[in-house]
Amino acid sequence: MFTDDGCGQDSTCFNLDMGRNSPHLLYMAIRLSVWQHLCIAINQANSIIRLALNDKVKKYINEDKLIDADTENGINLTITQVFPKFSSIPVNQPRINHLSDLRLYNQEISEEDMNHYINNCSGDLQNSAQPVLTLDSDLLQVKGSAQLTNISEEQVCASVQPMSIFFNRRHNFKKAQDWCSQLGGSLPLPESHEINTFFYNQALKSRRGCDDYSILYWLDAVNNASGDFYKMTDGKPLKWINLWSWGRNNFEILCLVIDNRRFNKGSDEWRLTSCRRPSCGVLCSFDYSPWLKLQGKCDSLTLDTYVIMSTDVNNNIQFVNREYRLSLVNNTWTMMEENQQFPMAEITSEMDTPLGRHWWRVWQSGCSQGEMLLVLSVCGAKEYTCNDGTCININKRCNLILECPDHSDEEHCEKVLLPHNYYPRLPPPSTVQRPFQLGLTLSIGSVRKFCPTTFTVVIDTNLIFWWSDSRLTYRNLQTSYYDNTVPNMSQVWHPKVDIKDGYYGAVDLTHHSRNIHILRDSRPFMIFEKSSEDNEYPGDWNRLQMDQKQIISFRCHLNLHMYPFDTQRCSIIISVQDLHVGVEELLEV
């Protein structure tokens, strides 16, 4: 069984549908573009199902008796693929491309027989049972678009090399481990000379600019202070070691690497070194083909789909689904549509993989600019994709702290999105049910001066207004409103304040500062189109706040006949321009 398509958000898999009463009963991850060896044994009386896929065996006990042992029509076995619910790919559409052998037995197959069949790629069972149905049987007919072809047993039974991809990224051990894990893989750890050579040749083919680095790539193993070697991911001891030299610092954990200098001399032996040093690249090994989202928008051309990261027969990385294929053609990353001869888009810069956020040259109609920003990423719904493909928490986007290795998380951090017809001279609109509301607080920090002869008072004040503007949308707001400053106050409407004394006389104002901040009052809603991945917040649910600090000098009209044995009131009048009575409300707090 050979498949070139997959299912799931993080892995490729198949489902075994055993009829209407037991949909999607079995689920196992697989790797694309290789032959899959599958055995299924069903004991209807005990409702036990054994499934062997490649080197994995699983046992299922069907306690709900979903398999009817007395059914007259037998059991309908349908191998399908389940795709993500958020993907544009149809769900549960059979997608098996090649079937080289099929054998049906009328007796339960033991687990020992299943392992023998898979491990030896043989059509004969150890117990010499004979199948009641094979692909050569006259009872089977080829229907639909299926075709008959010949393939050698050697091709079907050939051992499958691990799927590995070399990334030209200068990482220390921890960052390299995180990068592979983020992609759904791990650092390689060969358990034989054959696999070690395979990884070695893969890096040899893909490395670039490594002359100044002593480390070619990391292995998933460390050597602790006691001198023990163990696998980093599960802590188990190594089954096979290919160490070139021995010698260590007893006070530091050392990591295993392929030495770039000995690599240049044709040696694939391992070496110990500090885990903090950078390597020339990162080699990741995969058990299955992970999913990545592919998103972008340009005029009427929109991409919002998922692709599978896999390797072709030459172990070259590619990204495919039923509509598109991204592959390296003449050293240029090219996007091709299914059944088309000419490329749909090409990347505009040289790189080992198109992972991340990059500009692509578009040849298809629907994109007048001729370029489109595309995101190819494994990042989840609550993560942001850096330009280099690294994933960070979406709440760390535009938080004034550099989180992405390439610092791209602090680029294009405009907080306010203005509609094309926005006019900042007009206040936010009101509705019949809810007039526009403007809140106000005034706090007095200190009384700088009080002169009883001139009736002059000088005070430090902080005047705070807040309001909502349904015309606006905000992006990537932080918890602290001080981090959500509107850089250009003239962009948005804000109250124009006029201050008079209690008798509408002029006052002297000395402004210290005036800023507008955005208060994050609601949860964000995510946007996935247009390759933005940013958190957005609606303007009618999140308030704007203007802080205006000033020194006010004004005159009070006081009656001093009983001074200083009385209490008198001294006031100022605050008004806001462009507000109309009956349409807006001024809230005093």
Side-chain angles (χ1 to χ4, degrees), residues 394-409:
I394 187 63
N395 294 324
K396 296 182 179 181
R397 163 87 165 124
C398 296
N399 65 347
L400 304 179
I401 300 175
L402 297 174
E403 306 284 352
C404 292
D406 57 6
H407 303 168
S408 56
D409 57 311

Side-chain angles (χ1 to χ4, degrees), residues 171-177 187 218-219 222 232 255 275:
H171 285 336
N172 61 26
F173 177 81
K174 180 62 170 62
K175 289 184 177 180
Q177 190 180 43
L187 293 176
W218 299 96
L219 300 173
V222 296
M232 191 63 182
C255 295
C275 303

Side-chain angles (χ1 to χ4, degrees), residues 74-89:
I75 299 174
N76 178 34
L77 299 181
T78 305
I79 299 177
T80 63
Q81 295 167 329
V82 177
F83 295 90
K85 294 180 179 179
F86 39 77
S87 142
S88 61
I89 303 174

Side-chain angles (χ1 to χ4, degrees), residues 433-452:
Q433 296 81 8
R434 181 183 179 185
F436 167 64
Q437 295 181 339
L438 180 67
L440 164 65
T441 61
L442 174 65
S443 58
I444 299 176
S446 64
V447 178
R448 288 177 173 248
K449 179 181 179 182
F450 172 68
C451 180

Side-chain angles (χ1 to χ4, degrees), residues 137-138 153 181 231 372 385 395 449 460 521 534 542 565:
S137 174
D138 295 335
E153 183 177 331
S181 175
K231 191 175 181 180
M372 177 167 55
T385 304
N395 294 324
K449 179 181 179 182
D460 288 313
D521 296 324
D534 291 310
N542 299 270
F565 304 105

Side-chain angles (χ1 to χ4, degrees), residues 416-436:
V416 182
L417 303 181
L418 300 172
H420 70 280
N421 57 351
Y422 184 81
Y423 187 50
R425 294 288 299 274
L426 294 178
S430 300
T431 63
V432 177
Q433 296 81 8
R434 181 183 179 185
F436 167 64

Side-chain angles (χ1 to χ4, degrees), residues 115-273:
N115 285 325
H116 174 79
Y117 176 85
I118 287 177
N119 294 330
N120 295 280
C121 194
S122 171
D124 299 322
L125 299 182
Q126 285 182 310
N127 62 10
S128 301
Q130 296 300 313
V132 297
L133 183 67
T134 68
L135 283 180
D136 298 328
S137 174
D138 295 335
L139 298 176
L140 295 179
Q141 295 181 357
V142 177
K143 292 186 177 181
S145 59
Q147 297 178 352
L148 291 176
T149 58
N150 293 322
I151 186 170
S152 67
E153 183 177 331
E154 182 180 0
Q155 289 178 275
V156 176
C157 298
S159 61
V160 178
Q161 299 289 6
M163 175 181 166
S164 61
I165 300 173
F166 186 84
F167 301 92
N168 284 282
R169 291 172 175 264
R170 302 350 183 186
H171 285 336
N172 61 26
F173 177 81
K174 180 62 170 62
K175 289 184 177 180
Q177 190 180 43
D178 291 344
W179 173 252
C180 292
S181 175
Q182 179 177 281
L183 294 174
S186 62
L187 293 176
L189 186 59
E191 296 182 356
S192 68
H193 181 73
E194 178 187 6
I195 301 301
N196 191 62
T197 302
F198 170 80
F199 286 138
Y200 171 92
N201 291 333
Q202 180 67 11
L204 177 64
K205 179 178 64 176
S206 306
R207 66 173 182 156
R208 192 170 63 237
C210 292
D211 294 341
D212 296 331
Y213 292 85
S214 61
I215 301 172
L216 182 60
Y217 59 85
W218 299 96
L219 300 173
D220 185 28
V222 296
N223 181 248
N224 59 24
S226 301
D228 301 320
F229 290 93
Y230 62 91
K231 191 175 181 180
M232 191 63 182
T233 51
D234 57 18
K236 296 181 178 179
L238 303 191
K239 298 180 180 179
W240 184 77
I241 298 178
N242 190 38
L243 196 62
W244 163 55
S245 63
W246 178 254
R248 56 165 292 105
N249 181 343
N250 293 328
F251 301 100
E252 183 182 15
I253 293 178
L254 299 179
C255 295
L256 284 169
V257 299
I258 294 294
D259 192 304
N260 190 44
R261 292 165 297 189
R262 291 186 60 79
F263 187 96
N264 293 328
K265 299 178 181 179
S267 172
D268 60 357
E269 294 173 320
W270 304 353
R271 182 172 67 86
L272 284 171
T273 189

Side-chain angles (χ1 to χ4, degrees), residues 294-311:
L294 176 65
Q295 296 171 326
K297 183 174 177 62
C298 176
D299 298 341
S300 60
L301 178 61
T302 300
L303 287 176
D304 188 7
T305 184
Y306 283 78
V307 294
I308 302 165
M309 182 172 67
S310 63
T311 52

